[in-house]
Amino acid sequence: MSTPRPRAAVAAVLITLTLPLTLMAAPAQAQSPDRYEDQARVVTNNKRDGHDLARFRKGACVQRFAERQARRMARQERMYHQDLGKVMRRCNLSTAGENVAYGYPTGRRVVQAWMRSQGHRRNILNGRFRLLGMAAARDNDGTMYAAQVFGRH
């Protein structure tokens, strides 16, 4: 029996555009969710620095949606996207996007995988996005699920 491979997907909502994508990589032992989140946030902002883009600010509302999404995916042991229209309404955003993944052992590794995918990379390097919510949660088997929620007021 083969080991399930990590997967990542993205949905970007820019006005009315939605774009889903999928990535896969080999699983390994994951960090604590708090360390994972912190590391992914730092690496994500470092990627923006390297492209002369403003660093993301942590937005309380998008952070809550990222946390909720990571916990739901881990609880259900499946990766999927949330309704970004709801995120935009509740957080009073003009645009929003999301990257999701599972099975990546560290925050650094998940961001590296997202950066190798055109759609994920587009979210991370989108100059219109100013806010970032970053969350990670572990399922009962120890697999890490991650969610990034991007936005702009």
Side-chain angles (χ1 to χ4, degrees), residues 42 45 77 83 110 130 141-142:
V42 167
N45 273 320
E77 296 184 341
D83 177 0
V110 74
R130 297 284 192 241
D141 296 327

Side-chain angles (χ1 to χ4, degrees), residues 1-2 4 11 14-15 17 22 30 36 43 45 54 64 66 83 126 132 137 150-151:
M1 178 172 174
S2 65
L14 302 172
I15 316 277
L17 174 66
T22 302
Y36 192 105
V43 173
N45 273 320
R64 283 191 301 274
D83 177 0
N126 185 331
L132 173 64
F150 306 94

Side-chain angles (χ1 to χ4, degrees), residues 122-141:
R122 188 172 26 243
N123 276 343
I124 290 169
L125 299 180
N126 185 331
R128 294 177 60 195
F129 292 145
R130 297 284 192 241
L131 304 171
L132 173 64
M134 177 66 223
R138 191 174 282 127
D139 72 11
N140 290 332
D141 296 327

Side-chain angles (χ1 to χ4, degrees), residues 40-56:
R41 184 178 303 281
V42 167
V43 173
T44 297
N45 273 320
N46 287 345
K47 296 297 182 188
R48 285 178 67 90
D49 287 343
H51 288 84
D52 295 323
L53 295 167
R55 295 174 71 78
F56 284 118

